[in-house]
Amino acid sequence: MREDVDNADIKNRDLEDKGRDLNDEVQHERAILVGVDDGTDKNFENSMEELGSLAQACGMEPVGVITQRMENSHRGQNKGHKSLYVGTGKLHEIKEAIQLLEAAIVLFDDALTPSQLRNLHSELAKPILDRTTLILN
């Protein structure tokens, strides 16, 4: 009976070692984090840090953070630019960061409208996730 226990223990250790080897080889999706600071959220920096932690919890590797300060006069109903969440200059900066940092996905700190999601995906040609979708995943 002791031999059966020892064999089971050896098999469990082999499985654990194989699992460790697989985890070491896993490539995490490289993600760029994007947020708009409209000046009303005193915890904006904390919110961006939390977005990075959420990304890591979902198996992503945050490789860059891009923020934009945007006054109320440039915003639509929601936080951020009406059609793109960020301004066109910041959008160009995100495109450059995607190439430079070899990012596979772009994460936005706020909830995006369906049209913002569609427009951003069209402009950036990368998967786009907002905070809400990231939490639900």
Side-chain angles (χ1 to χ4, degrees), residues 56 66 89 116:
Q56 288 174 332
I66 298 175
Q116 287 173 327

Side-chain angles (χ1 to χ4, degrees), residues 19-102:
R20 227 179 277 120
D21 292 342
L22 289 174
N23 288 334
D24 292 343
E25 295 174 15
V26 170
Q27 293 289 328
H28 297 288
E29 277 188 305
R30 297 171 63 85
I32 292 178
L33 313 180
V34 180
V36 169
D37 181 5
D38 65 0
T40 62
D41 185 359
K42 296 195 185 323
N43 295 314
F44 177 73
E45 294 296 324
N46 291 338
S47 182
M48 291 300 293
E49 287 177 20
E50 182 184 47
L51 183 64
S53 296
L54 287 169
Q56 288 174 332
C58 291
M60 298 175 203
E61 176 188 359
V63 294
V65 177
I66 298 175
T67 61
Q68 180 170 18
R69 175 93 170 141
M70 191 176 286
E71 299 300 323
N72 291 339
S73 61
H74 292 75
R75 295 187 304 130
Q77 216 172 343
N78 297 329
K79 189 175 183 180
H81 190 274
K82 272 193 273 192
S83 64
L84 292 169
Y85 180 73
V86 293
T88 54
K90 197 56 71 172
L91 185 67
H92 181 70
E93 187 179 323
I94 295 168
K95 286 180 185 180
E96 287 178 347
I98 287 170
Q99 290 179 348
L100 181 67
L101 301 172
E102 299 176 352

Side-chain angles (χ1 to χ4, degrees), residues 91-123:
L91 185 67
H92 181 70
E93 187 179 323
I94 295 168
K95 286 180 185 180
E96 287 178 347
I98 287 170
Q99 290 179 348
L100 181 67
L101 301 172
E102 299 176 352
I105 192 163
V106 184
L107 306 176
F108 289 82
D109 190 40
D110 294 299
L112 300 174
T113 66
S115 63
Q116 287 173 327
L117 283 166
R118 183 180 57 252
N119 294 338
L120 287 164
H121 179 70
S122 175
E123 290 286 334

